[in-house]
Amino acid sequence: MQEIEKALEFIIEIEKLKDVQRKTRPVGLKRYENSAEHSWHVCLCALILKDYSNDPLNIDRVIKMLLIHDLGEIDAGDTIIYSSETGEKKAKEKQGLQRLASLLPGNMNIELVNLWEEFESGETADARFAKAIDRIPPLLHNIYGGGHSWKQYGITKEQVFSLNARIGMGSEVLWSEIRSKLEGAVKDGILK
Amino acid sequence: MQEIEKALEFIIEIEKLKDVQRKTRPVGLKRYENSAEHSWHVCLCALILKDYSNDPLNIDRVIKMLLIHDLGEIDAGDTIIYSSETGEKKAKEKQGLQRLASLLPGNMNIELVNLWEEFESGETADARFAKAIDRIPPLLHNIYGGGHSWKQYGITKEQVFSLNARIGMGSEVLWSEIRSKLEGAVKDGILK
């Protein structure tokens, strides 16, 4: 198959991310978010919030990471963050990502896998910021949506504060702002 | 209001793009696409197809343009391309974009409006490629989806070939590939 045909096949295959349902609802909407629209949202969030990074960033790499960070979910599905960080789930996502990447010509294949691995490892400044940004919209969905998914999954305030403290690894300023909104949610009784 | 509060307000406001319904259905899905997931898709399409640009590109700028290119639709709504290119529609989109941008701190505000204007004008190499990419997924949706929206809106093959020839301004190679797929759709009787 010609390279261009393979690229178009990849483009059609990744449409399936539009059919991966997440666990939170966009503010103001009565339906769950899908992983494709989430991916768009976090890319634009990263661009808007880039100046709050703890460390110097390459924002273009951060955006690329966020464009592809959920592709593994086409095969693995989405799981709420509070129970998703298992070896089994991550292995399934990695397999899924590798299957998709194998549809691409060689250099693109490697670039995709490397970016995904960097995001997952969360060790570089770009990946730390990308991972921090990835956490923010679902928290806003809960804070401004009556704590819908916290309630649905029985998530406690201890879980929310403990897991999301990692936002501070990418941006202390953003974590401080989000933490104070979470404290508000606790006061309002939507996070128990 | 603090700058960080304004940025978070913008982030919540742009969630409304997830509620703007487009006129085509992603391949394999029985529902219409929304403008947020479309925006994600075209960003990743641009990255995958960047080597087919007629002219040297700054792919990072192309991706940023595509991230924000539909934000004006939050206020203006989506219209099928074959009837959307009116002064009135464009003016509404521009007003919508400016309203959103006004939620942002000064430098971000200007960057957003300038990128959007550059995309709309379609004069730079980056904008020509971004506009070419923006046209490709809806064509694939029709080609691999029985011509659903062509039929629904009574779009003729003359309209499809004439309007989409502009893909060639960004990439002759991609237009040639898509044109041959469109000719296949005509042969198969899904584009009349």
Side-chain angles (χ1 to χ4, degrees), chain A residues 101-135:
Chain A
S102 72
L103 300 174
L104 290 173
N107 58 335
M108 269 286 170
N109 176 331
I110 293 164
E111 190 182 332
L112 184 65
V113 173
N114 285 349
L115 262 178
W116 188 87
E117 297 263 16
E118 180 178 340
F119 175 82
E120 282 297 320
S121 304
E123 285 166 9
T124 62
D126 293 346
R128 283 196 303 273
F129 188 69
K131 282 178 104 65
I133 292 295
D134 190 34
R135 294 302 314 132

Side-chain angles (χ1 to χ4, degrees), chain A residues 4-5 11 15 18 27 31 33-34 36-37 40-41 47 50 52 60 64 67 108 141 177, chain B residues 4-5 11 15 18 27 31 33-34 36-37 39-41 47 50 52 60 64 67 108 141 177:
Chain A
I4 194 167
E5 284 287 335
I11 281 167
E15 294 225 278
K18 299 172 186 172
V27 176
R31 63 163 177 85
E33 193 179 38
N34 70 59
E37 62 196 356
W40 164 77
H41 199 206
L47 186 61
K50 66 182 190 302
Y52 299 112
D60 300 317
K64 281 181 200 151
L67 274 179
M108 269 286 170
H141 294 169
E177 180 73 18
Chain B
I4 193 165
E5 285 286 337
I11 281 168
E15 294 226 278
K18 299 171 186 171
V27 178
R31 62 163 179 86
E33 191 180 39
N34 69 60
E37 60 196 356
S39 297
W40 164 76
H41 198 207
L47 186 60
K50 66 182 191 303
Y52 299 112
D60 300 318
K64 279 179 201 153
L67 274 178
M108 270 285 169
H141 293 169
E177 180 72 17

Side-chain angles (χ1 to χ4, degrees), chain B residues 32-141:
Chain B
Y32 290 92
E33 191 180 39
N34 69 60
S35 294
E37 60 196 356
H38 159 75
S39 297
W40 164 76
H41 198 207
V42 289
C43 287
L44 201 37
C45 290
L47 186 60
I48 298 300
L49 299 172
K50 66 182 191 303
D51 294 343
Y52 299 112
S53 171
N54 292 343
D55 302 300
L57 280 185
N58 181 334
I59 185 62
D60 300 318
R61 295 187 73 250
V62 171
I63 290 172
K64 279 179 201 153
M65 266 181 219
L66 287 167
L67 274 178
I68 61 104
H69 80 292
D70 270 346
L71 284 177
E73 293 184 354
I74 287 175
D75 291 354
D78 176 73
T79 313
I80 197 164
I81 182 97
Y82 302 96
S83 58
S84 75
E85 297 185 313
T86 63
E88 192 190 359
K89 176 69 175 12
K90 287 293 158 201
K92 263 196 202 167
E93 286 182 16
K94 185 171 176 171
Q95 275 173 18
L97 192 276
Q98 285 170 331
R99 179 185 70 80
L100 288 170
S102 73
L103 299 173
L104 290 174
N107 57 337
M108 270 285 169
N109 177 333
I110 294 163
E111 190 183 335
L112 183 64
V113 173
N114 286 350
L115 262 179
W116 187 88
E117 299 263 17
E118 181 178 340
F119 175 83
E120 283 297 321
S121 304
E123 285 165 9
T124 63
D126 293 346
R128 283 196 304 272
F129 188 70
K131 282 179 104 65
I133 292 296
D134 190 34
R135 294 298 315 130
I136 290 176
L139 292 173
L140 296 175
H141 293 169

